[in-house]
Amino acid sequence: MKLIKITAPEFDLAMTLGSGQVFHWEKAGDGFIGAIGDRPVYVEENGDILKVHDGEAPVRAGLAFSAREARALPRIVADYFALDHPLSEICASFPDDPAMSAAREFCHGLRIIRQPKWECLATFICSSMKQVAHIRQISRNIRERFGEGRKIELPHSIENADGGSAAPRTMPKFSRLRRRRINIEQRTARSTNNRVVFTFPTAERIAATSEKELQECALGYRAKNLLATARLIANGDVDLEKLAALSDADLRARLCELPGVGAKVANCVMLFAYERLRAFPIDVWIERVLREKYFPRARKLNAARLGAFTEGYFGNHGGYAQQYLFHHARMSKAKTRRRGRAGRLSRSRA
């Protein structure tokens, strides 16, 4: 199998995919597999080079992808990962303060992904009041139940970069029969290069389902909102592509009219799907950062005040600043938790 090489300076693939923008990419061998629109893609990074290939071609109007469309893969990947964004200039535009400087240094190479509009909107409707791990599970449920599976061949056997299999490195103690079954599964994982990537279902596909079916994907109350928004789009009452012509303020207002979309979700969609790089989503993580780092003495701090501050302080690339602050805060918290567990374990063994 031949991998196509793409120059990708100032880019960290793993950090970008793991920064809470998208939720469906999976580690596979030396790289990652996922879907860009309806195309299954394998991507791995080696220095400033991305190596990519795609899998089973979707069929449109009864015709498979042409050779010309197949040759478009490098452009599609480069556009998806926004490799054209002048990252050095963007980072240089950030405010010069301790919190932003630490986030900028930690997140070097993180880029804002250009996501398909409906997929992004639907995913963030489902994300309300959910942690990243839960959003990933919901995305997987929706894709596997309502999306289309497309085969993709990995360039290597399904192994981790250190040579281990895709199964957990350490196994708990099982019965002899159970241990034998696990060993068989590990050998199978090492021997196959084929995987299936599920695309995100169209608005029309979701609109044809029921609220009960969506709730079975662990959406809870979000099922009603996702279904209602999908039907507005499927019926032609909302054209997500035409919304791109609106100003930031009008686009935000129009998105907020959709079921399940508030200010935070609207700003996420503006940033990740409409490339409005000033958009500054404020969730629990970011509100905590803003309160602790920028308003440590403030007693009364509402959403309007935070919104006005971020709009003026972070400027034209506020979306990038937000993503860096968000990812740095999450990873720092995770590191603190790991240290705490390690300390407790060490004390218990003393």
Side-chain angles (χ1 to χ4, degrees):
M1 174 190 305
K2 183 177 180 181
L3 295 176
I4 301 172
K5 294 182 179 180
I6 304 172
T7 302
E10 296 186 293
F11 182 50
D12 189 313
L13 175 64
M15 182 181 293
T16 297
L17 291 177
S19 63
Q21 303 181 60
V22 290
F23 306 94
H24 67 283
W25 288 82
E26 302 286 347
K27 190 77 174 74
D30 295 330
F32 296 85
I33 56 172
I36 299 180
D38 55 6
R39 185 188 294 256
V41 176
Y42 170 85
V43 187
E44 67 179 60
E45 186 175 30
N46 187 353
D48 287 345
I49 299 295
L50 293 182
K51 298 179 181 180
V52 305
H53 85 90
D54 54 2
E56 182 181 20
V59 175
R60 293 177 178 169
L63 298 175
F65 266 10
S66 66
R68 181 179 179 181
E69 289 173 310
R71 290 194 297 270
L73 180 62
R75 176 184 55 78
I76 291 171
V77 172
D79 183 73
Y80 182 74
F81 289 118
L83 298 182
D84 58 319
H85 281 175
L87 201 59
S88 293
E89 295 178 21
I90 290 172
C91 290
S93 74
F94 292 164
D96 186 13
D97 64 65
M100 192 71 253
S101 295
R104 177 174 52 215
E105 182 177 355
F106 180 84
C107 296
H108 178 74
L110 193 162
R111 290 177 177 271
I112 298 296
I113 295 173
R114 290 186 178 104
Q115 299 182 39
K117 294 180 177 61
W118 159 246
E119 178 182 322
C120 180
L121 172 62
T123 300
F124 280 98
I125 287 175
C126 298
S127 75
S128 177
M129 303 301 290
K130 286 288 188 180
Q131 296 180 353
V132 169
H134 299 149
I135 303 170
R136 288 184 62 85
Q137 185 59 54
I138 289 173
S139 175
R140 183 181 299 114
N141 292 343
I142 292 175
R143 288 170 181 273
E144 291 182 355
R145 179 154 186 174
F146 303 112
E148 297 182 2
R150 305 206 188 283
K151 297 178 183 178
I152 187 167
E153 182 180 356
L154 301 184
H156 319 290
S157 59
I158 305 177
E159 295 180 341
N160 294 325
D162 62 358
S165 74
R169 291 190 181 91
T170 58
M171 296 293 179
K173 294 182 179 179
F174 294 103
S175 67
R176 185 174 302 172
L177 177 60
R178 175 60 176 156
R179 189 179 297 114
R180 178 176 178 272
R181 185 174 300 144
I182 289 174
N183 289 337
I184 292 172
E185 290 172 352
Q186 286 180 306
R187 286 197 297 271
T188 301
R190 288 192 181 101
S191 65
T192 181
N193 289 14
N194 296 318
R195 295 285 287 272
V196 175
V197 171
F198 286 87
T199 63
F200 197 85
T202 64
E204 290 74 16
R205 178 69 182 91
I206 294 295
T209 66
S210 67
E211 185 176 336
K212 181 180 179 181
E213 287 178 293
L214 291 174
Q215 286 177 339
E216 291 172 354
C217 294
L219 268 70
Y221 70 88
R222 303 161 196 81
K224 181 178 181 180
N225 292 329
L226 180 62
L227 183 60
T229 296
R231 288 178 174 171
L232 286 173
I233 294 169
N235 294 337
D237 296 323
V238 175
D239 188 328
L240 295 180
E241 295 301 327
K242 289 184 177 180
L243 295 186
L246 299 177
S247 67
D248 285 1
D250 289 343
L251 175 58
R252 184 180 294 108
R254 189 69 184 92
L255 289 171
C256 284
E257 293 175 0
L258 299 175
V261 178
K264 182 259 182 177
V265 170
N267 278 310
C268 285
V269 176
M270 289 174 64
L271 177 60
F272 301 132
Y274 287 91
E275 205 174 356
R276 304 301 175 91
L277 299 184
R278 290 186 67 94
F280 196 102
I282 299 178
D283 66 349
V284 173
W285 285 99
I286 287 297
E287 182 175 345
R288 184 182 299 127
V289 170
L290 293 174
R291 288 179 179 275
E292 292 179 357
K293 305 299 183 181
Y294 298 96
F295 295 93
R297 297 182 180 85
R299 294 184 178 182
K300 295 183 179 180
L301 197 60
N302 56 30
R305 185 178 175 186
L306 288 176
F309 168 74
T310 58
E311 174 74 16
Y313 185 72
F314 293 101
N316 290 334
H317 300 114
Y320 261 97
Q322 183 273 352
Q323 194 62 28
Y324 280 36
L325 290 169
F326 170 80
H327 187 61
H328 181 234
R330 284 183 61 241
M331 294 300 100
S332 298
K333 185 68 172 180
K335 186 176 182 179
T336 300
R337 288 173 178 169
R338 287 195 296 270
R339 285 178 176 173
R341 286 196 294 267
R344 289 192 297 272
L345 181 60
S346 177
R347 289 192 294 272
S348 69
R349 291 176 174 175

